[in-house]
Amino acid sequence: MLRSWLHIQRSSLAIRPTASALRPGVRLFFQLAGCFAFSTAATVLAGPQVQNNSIWASNGLLLSYLLLAPRRRWFAYTFVGLAAQVLGGYLAGGETWQINSAMAIMNIAEVLLAAFLLRKFSTHLPRFTDRAYLIRFFAFAIVGSPAIVGVVFAIIAHQWVHQPILPGLRDWFMTDSLGYAVATPAFVAIFRTRFRGTPKTRWGWLYLLLLVPITFFALQQAQLAALSIISSLLIFILLRLGMGWASMATLLVALMANLYIMHEPLKAAHSADGANPIIRLQVFLTSILFMLYSVSVVMERYRVAEKKLQAAYRTMESMAAIDALTGLANRRRFDECLETEWRRAIRDRAPLSMVLMDVDRFKLYNDTYGHLRGDACLKSIAESVLEGAARRADLVARFGGEEFAVILPNTAAAGAVRVANGIFAALNSRNLTHSASPFGIVTISAGCATVIPHLGQPALDLIEIADRALYTAKDRGRNQIFSAADFAVTGAMPETTPPRTN
Ligand code: GH3
Ligand code: MG
Ligand code: MG
């Protein structure tokens, strides 16, 4: 139920184009309704305005909606937020409706100012682990906007109800500023997190659950030291599950602390140090937030550095496995693959085949055309070999200078010869001139070997058999395939393709 509701909130906020069965209009309606319900609840939970609240989450909540929504929806959200704050203020009681409305208007103006500045100076969605974004968030939402509107509020309150200017400004600024610092990242995280039943999510809920009695206990102690248990747990959540869960946990703590102060003001007020409980909680929340934000920025840096390192390592590894000239697997990769496939073949009692190829009269090619053209020719041959061995499980490698090899898992002798024939056909169709060769074009010789390996047999056996087959093909006049299966058949004609005659 909660999950599907959050899904609607998320999908309509244009953050993630999640597939939804709802029509856009209906979705927007649900989103606005969600924003209204949340904002009203946040306003009511904060208690009577100006009095007894240590944190004002309603503005922070609305700001998270605005930051995630497209600009054209801002008017709708602003209107809903205003209505919610007026209603919430009325439900919470304590002030006349005129005062409630005036405060709501100032609050909404403050949110709009923060949202406008943040949108103007950043092109991406809110990212509270990014240092640059965090600095802007701090400047515009946590400090700038509440300070500007706080001054306006303090002056009006002074004129209207003769409230002293400085305490008025301080209260407005602290409660709103903390509200943004806690609620905006928390709600952005809530709207952007997919609450699937992953182990991480399960741990997240468990920690939040654990936080409730611990916070309750710490608040009962009414001493700053007891509250440090909470900060330790929050840091732990941050390190294990990231900033999203940590800000949700902080929101939970702030909510509980607010409720506690509203309902148990005396107990907290008569604490050992005699400090104002609201200010003490604000100091506590500020220090927690500072810690969470700074740790998350450092963590993000490490994460980015780690990603870069991993990418560099992957590149290096692939470079170490690929032959620079032909782009085929290199000898190292070939050896690794042969070992793996050999073991698999032993396990499965399956045949493992290999085609080993050597370019005919390649020294003469180099002598005739030079090494650079020789290199280009090797590239063409490599492409032909790749074309011929089309199966994905096959590994095509440059075995040595002008030698190539294909490993064919789960392939019997006839299959290996078929692959070799395919490679010959691909190479012949290229018709690469080799004037010094008796065939007039570039040709190769191939040896095919197939083994059903048994335990204890070395993988080198397969290479050795293929090598002998290859040299038989060379001996027999080059430009042909010889299958080692034919060694066993006494007197039988080796399986070959007839040499090309020009
Ligand atoms: P055969 O038909 O008996 O195989 O004769 P061949 O000339 O191909 O055999 P040999 O082993 O005498 O010569 C191989 C040649 O391949 C010699 C070497 O210069 C050339 N070669 C090996 N690697 C490369 C390379 O990366 N680039 C170029 N251009 N030539 C290479
Ligand atoms: Mg050779
Ligand atoms: Mg050769």
Side-chain angles (χ1 to χ4, degrees):
M1 166 66 192
L2 174 72
R3 206 182 291 172
S4 60
W5 186 82
L6 280 172
H7 178 80
I8 293 172
Q9 297 299 303
R10 201 167 31 240
S11 61
S12 48
L13 282 171
I15 332 160
R16 236 170 237 197
T18 39
S20 169
L22 295 175
R23 271 181 301 148
V26 181
R27 227 164 42 191
L28 178 64
F29 171 78
F30 274 113
Q31 269 164 3
L32 291 171
C35 178
F36 183 75
F38 260 150
S39 299
T40 310
T43 311
V44 173
L45 285 174
Q49 303 215 2
V50 196
Q51 176 197 329
N52 270 348
N53 65 54
S54 57
I55 173 166
W56 180 252
S58 197
N59 288 5
L61 165 67
L62 185 59
L63 181 63
S64 68
Y65 269 98
L66 293 187
L67 290 181
L68 294 173
R71 189 69 81 78
R72 65 193 142 83
R73 300 262 165 86
W74 278 18
F75 179 76
Y77 281 112
T78 310
F79 181 76
V80 161
L82 182 69
Q85 288 205 11
V86 172
L87 176 69
Y90 171 77
L91 291 177
E95 307 292 343
T96 64
W97 71 267
Q98 288 101 325
I99 292 186
N100 274 339
S101 306
M103 304 251 291
I105 288 171
M106 278 188 279
N107 276 321
I108 301 304
E110 183 187 280
V111 177
L112 270 175
L113 179 63
F116 175 76
L117 288 171
L118 278 169
R119 260 297 159 82
K120 187 166 168 56
F121 290 97
S122 49
T123 48
H124 52 76
L125 287 171
R127 282 215 317 256
F128 296 98
T129 47
D130 176 59
R131 198 170 71 106
Y133 191 87
L134 211 50
I135 290 173
R136 283 195 294 271
F137 182 69
F138 184 79
F140 300 144
I142 298 183
V143 178
S145 195
I148 294 169
V149 180
V151 168
V152 176
F153 163 77
I155 293 170
I156 293 176
H158 182 68
Q159 301 290 334
W160 203 345
V161 291
H162 306 293
Q163 192 187 16
I165 286 195
L166 272 183
L169 171 62
R170 186 199 64 202
D171 287 350
W172 179 283
F173 177 77
M174 279 306 287
T175 51
D176 282 25
S177 163
L178 275 177
Y180 292 120
V182 173
T184 309
F187 280 100
V188 166
I190 290 169
F191 294 146
R192 298 191 76 182
T193 308
R194 282 173 185 271
F195 291 94
R196 294 253 169 82
T198 60
K200 192 173 162 174
T201 323
R202 277 193 283 272
W203 279 113
W205 291 122
L206 187 73
Y207 291 144
L208 289 193
L209 216 66
L210 204 69
L211 200 60
V212 174
I214 291 177
T215 307
F216 187 72
F217 163 78
L219 289 169
Q220 292 285 331
Q221 302 310 303
Q223 279 164 8
L224 211 52
L227 294 178
S228 61
I229 303 171
I230 302 176
S231 21
S232 320
L233 191 56
L234 289 179
I235 282 288
F236 178 73
I237 293 176
L238 173 67
L239 293 177
R240 274 217 62 188
L241 303 177
M243 190 59 184
W245 283 98
S247 30
M248 273 200 277
T250 315
L251 183 68
L252 182 68
V253 170
L255 192 81
M256 285 185 67
N258 220 33
L259 282 176
Y260 188 81
I261 283 191
M262 269 166 58
H263 296 293
E264 305 256 338
L266 290 178
K267 220 188 252 180
H270 291 299
S271 63
D273 54 10
N276 179 339
I278 294 177
I279 293 184
R280 197 181 48 220
L281 260 168
Q282 287 178 338
V283 170
F284 169 67
L285 284 174
T286 310
S287 68
I288 278 190
L289 286 167
F290 177 76
M291 203 158 62
L292 290 181
Y293 280 140
S294 44
V295 170
S296 74
V297 167
V298 173
M299 273 168 64
E300 181 68 12
R301 276 201 193 160
Y302 278 115
R303 211 171 299 137
V304 170
E306 196 185 330
K307 262 193 199 150
K308 278 188 191 159
L309 259 176
Q310 276 173 353
Y313 181 76
R314 269 198 301 274
T315 317
M316 211 185 70
E317 210 177 37
S318 70
M319 271 161 64
I322 286 175
D323 172 61
L325 178 71
T326 59
L328 298 181
N330 66 6
R331 181 61 190 265
R332 182 172 153 248
R333 172 99 183 77
F334 169 87
D335 288 341
E336 276 170 12
C337 176
L338 180 60
E339 275 302 324
T340 316
E341 292 304 337
W342 188 258
R343 278 197 300 272
R344 197 202 309 270
I346 293 175
R347 246 191 348 259
D348 300 347
R349 296 191 184 84
L352 180 65
S353 288
M354 178 182 295
V355 181
L356 195 60
M357 289 150 284
D358 184 290
V359 185
D360 298 328
R361 305 283 183 222
F362 198 59
K363 192 173 175 314
L364 279 178
Y365 190 92
N366 276 328
D367 293 346
T368 315
Y369 301 102
H371 269 80
L372 282 181
R373 294 235 349 234
D375 283 355
C377 178
L378 281 179
K379 279 190 207 171
S380 285
I381 298 169
E383 282 163 16
S384 312
V385 179
L386 263 183
E387 267 173 53
R391 243 180 26 184
R392 190 176 283 189
D394 304 342
L395 180 93
V396 179
R398 187 175 180 197
F399 186 79
E402 28 79 85
E403 287 145 18
F404 299 90
V406 186
I407 297 175
L408 304 155
N410 218 351
T411 306
V417 173
R418 206 172 310 126
V419 169
N421 270 315
I423 295 170
F424 270 56
L427 179 63
N428 283 343
S429 72
R430 287 181 185 244
N431 216 17
L432 307 166
T433 315
H434 184 348
S435 59
S437 157
F439 305 109
I441 58 162
V442 173
T443 59
I444 57 175
S445 300
C448 301
T450 303
V451 172
I452 301 176
H454 56 78
L455 206 63
Q457 189 178 6
L460 284 179
D461 273 11
L462 186 62
I463 301 181
E464 206 167 291
I465 299 169
D467 200 41
R468 266 193 283 141
L470 169 63
Y471 278 91
T472 309
K474 289 269 182 201
D475 280 349
R476 293 182 172 215
R478 295 182 170 78
N479 189 22
Q480 58 189 282
I481 300 164
F482 184 83
S483 171
D486 298 318
F487 285 138
V489 189
T490 13
M493 277 297 289
E495 202 172 329
T496 57
T497 47
R500 258 182 88 103
T501 42
N502 278 16

